[in-house]
Every structure is written in structure tokens, then in C-alpha cells.
Amino acid sequence: MNRRQVIGSIAGTLLAASWRSAQAATSGGTKIVLLGTAGGPSPKVSRAAPASMVVAGGSLYVVDCGNGIARQIVRSGYQLKALRSIFITHQHSDHNLDYGNLFYLAWSAALRNPVNSYGPPPLVEMTKKYFELNSFDINLRIHDEGRPDPAPLLIPHEITGPGQVFKDDNVTVRAVLVDHPPIKVAFAYRFDAADRSVVFSGDTRKTDSLIELARGADVLVCEAQHLPGIRGLAKRLAADPSREQAIYDSISGNALSVEQAGEVAEAAGVKTLVLNHFVPGDDTVPEDVWRESAAKAFSGEIIVGKDLLEI
Ligand SMILES: [Zn+2]
């Protein structure tokens, strides 16, 4: 990319961001924004780590905090200081690595309201240790820049079972336990707003609890694995060929294939299936293959997710 192309690209990104901001400010409807759509913690060129958000009533409700989420929110045209709540589906690093960083960067971007966070243990311990880890810089900014103490502003709530998790004027959030071994406490979340309902699968094997949660929802944002693609991934990851099958089993055995994502969407009767959390997440599997694989079982609308896509 030459200098002129770089400037053009930056200008395009800024225009897109300001257009989205203006659109969000003027349209009152609930939005879903995909912030990061690749499964797994290792950084990818074209997709960030798992993170999404629901935007309702001008507030941001984040689901999972993969690496880079704060920057992805800024790139999507929304303001970090609008952050209201954080929901962690499970404590795998691709879903929680920037949990503290998201709050911290929102605080440094003039966040003043409390943020409640919800997720499996050890969320409370993680929150406490995050502030300990960053105490040097926190103290500096409190005294140097006159910022409030951030620790009381992030309020963690550990959840261990199904039920209603959260309710405010904009959304009601419910959780169910899903099946994501070897992790014992992993959740899918459903957001019901006045104008639409959306379910985030988190990571899970095919399970009735997810189908029940998603029953009749407008949108299901569902993880998707492409099994032949994972064969290739296992080959690339295995330092020793004898490890290839074990790597394949470990990646493919605890989550939904893209075909199963279609089966779940069909069984639940959702209107729109949004494929997300792609594994492989490096774009070695073409978009049409993702769509056609989900369409084997699902007759509704299918959207192949992309970072920064607003739905
Ligand atoms: Zn996981």
C-alpha cells in the first residue's frame, strides 16, 4: 500500500466510523455488533479474537472480551465510555484475555458510570488481581490526571447456574449452562430487548439447553467449526505428526461444527443465524463453504460473520 492508499484507507475507516456513530445515534433500534470473529487465542490477520456486543438505548452490553476488543469497539464507531455491562461466556483466554483491559481502557476514555460484569468463577478473583497488577499506573493517573479510583467502578458477579442474569430499561439477559469440556461452567446468553431478541451460543457441543434458550429468537450468533479445515489446522500445529489426531480431537471435540450450528438454528426456529467464532479463523475456508454447510440443516437467513459487522 502506498502513502496515498494508506491515507485513503484511514479516511475510509474514519468515515465509516463516524457514519456508524451517526447511524447509532439516530436509529433507536437494538443492534448487534461483531467485534471479533475468530476462535482461539492466537492473533489472526483478518479476524480478531471472540467479542461481540449488543447496543441498546445508547449503552454497550459486551459479550466476551477477546484480545483487542477495546480497539475493535473504537473501530466500530462506538464510544468506550458507553460501556454498561460485560458478560463472559466462559474462562478460556480467547474469551476473557482483555476483560480487565476493556474496562481499564474505557476508564481511561472518561468512563464514569459503574460497569457490572457477569461470568463463571473466578471472575471476582480475576477482577481483584487485575487492579493489583496495574496499581502503579492506576495510582499515577488518579493523582496525575484526577481520575476516580477505577476499582469500585467494575463490579463482578459470578454465576454458576442458569437463570436471569441482568435486567435494566433496555435489555433482559438470561443464561443457560452449555457443554464445553473440560470447562465445567460455560454459558450461552440471551438478550431480550423491546424490538428484538438475540442469543450468543458461546462455545459448546450440541446441547438441548442452547436450543431451548434460542427458541423463537430473532438472531442466533453461533460458533462454527469447519472439520476438514481443522484437519489442516492440526497438521500445521503438530510439531510431531503423531500428535496430529490428538490436536484434531481436542479442537473439534468440544464445540459446534458449522453443520451443527445450522441444526441448532433450525431446531430453535430462529429467523437469522449469524456464524461466528470461526475455526479455522484464518480465512482458509471460503465464505460460501461456511454458508452452504450451515444451510444443509437451516432454512432461514444465514449471515457469515465478519469483524465490525453491525446487524
Ligand atoms: Zn472455549
Side-chain angles (χ1 to χ4, degrees):
M1 208 184 262
N2 64 32
R3 191 166 166 272
R4 180 174 294 177
Q5 285 170 322
V6 168
I7 290 168
S9 164
I10 292 169
T13 302
L14 289 173
L15 271 175
S18 64
W19 177 80
R20 284 197 204 93
S21 246
Q23 188 193 41
T26 52
S27 65
T30 303
K31 306 278 190 245
I32 304 153
V33 184
L34 305 182
L35 297 165
T37 56
S42 65
K44 320 286 191 300
V45 171
S46 58
R47 295 181 187 272
S52 307
M53 65 183 178
V54 171
V55 183
S59 294
L60 310 184
Y61 304 87
V62 161
V63 179
D64 285 333
C65 295
N67 176 236
I69 178 175
R71 184 160 184 273
Q72 291 295 85
I73 290 176
V74 172
R75 290 185 72 213
S76 74
Y78 291 95
Q79 296 196 355
L80 289 171
K81 67 181 180 187
L83 179 65
R84 287 297 176 274
S85 305
I86 298 171
F87 301 86
I88 301 291
T89 58
H90 64 291
Q91 304 293 10
H92 262 148
S93 61
D94 50 336
H95 294 251
N96 71 12
L97 210 56
D98 273 7
Y99 159 64
N101 287 342
L102 170 62
F103 171 80
Y104 196 83
L105 294 168
W107 173 73
S108 74
L111 175 94
R112 289 295 177 268
N113 58 279
V115 171
N116 287 279
S117 62
Y118 302 84
L123 192 69
V124 169
E125 188 73 359
M126 286 164 60
T127 306
K128 181 169 162 278
K129 288 190 168 155
Y130 182 83
F131 288 117
E132 287 169 16
L133 174 73
N134 291 286
S135 61
F136 179 87
D137 184 71
I138 288 170
N139 289 328
L140 211 61
R141 288 182 196 279
I142 288 173
H143 294 113
D144 232 30
E145 300 174 5
R147 293 185 186 280
D149 182 357
L153 292 178
L154 179 57
I155 306 158
H157 307 264
E158 288 183 354
I159 49 175
T160 53
Q164 183 172 307
V165 172
F166 176 87
K167 183 174 173 53
D168 69 3
D169 291 344
N170 300 315
V171 293
T172 302
V173 182
R174 283 187 287 142
V176 294
L177 283 164
V178 291
D179 181 18
H180 188 45
I183 287 182
K184 295 214 163 46
V185 184
F187 292 106
Y189 291 109
R190 175 173 177 141
F191 288 67
D192 284 289
D195 58 337
R196 68 196 307 206
S197 49
V198 54
V199 171
F200 296 89
S201 69
D203 291 7
T204 180
R205 290 172 172 169
K206 194 174 174 189
T207 173
D208 289 343
S209 62
L210 175 61
I211 294 169
E212 285 311 312
L213 185 73
R215 176 104 34 221
D218 293 310
V219 180
L220 170 63
V221 179
C222 193
E223 73 162 334
Q225 300 199 111
H226 185 255
L227 297 181
I230 293 174
R231 280 270 172 227
L233 187 64
K235 198 184 278 278
R236 292 196 293 281
L237 289 176
D240 167 357
S242 70
R243 291 280 308 142
E244 211 177 294
Q245 185 62 37
I247 292 173
Y248 174 83
D249 291 345
S250 128
I251 298 176
S252 64
N254 64 1
L256 289 165
S257 68
V258 60
E259 290 84 0
Q260 288 175 318
E263 290 165 16
V264 169
E266 186 70 19
V270 303
K271 289 197 189 90
T272 302
L273 169 63
V274 178
L275 299 174
N276 183 45
H277 193 286
F278 295 96
V279 179
D282 53 9
D283 287 345
T284 48
V285 179
E287 186 173 326
D288 285 352
V289 172
W290 290 111
R291 187 189 311 281
E292 285 158 15
S293 303
K296 285 178 192 165
F298 182 55
S299 51
E301 181 189 26
I302 297 170
I303 296 174
V304 180
K306 286 184 170 55
D307 285 16
L308 308 185
L309 182 68
E310 187 166 299
I311 301 154

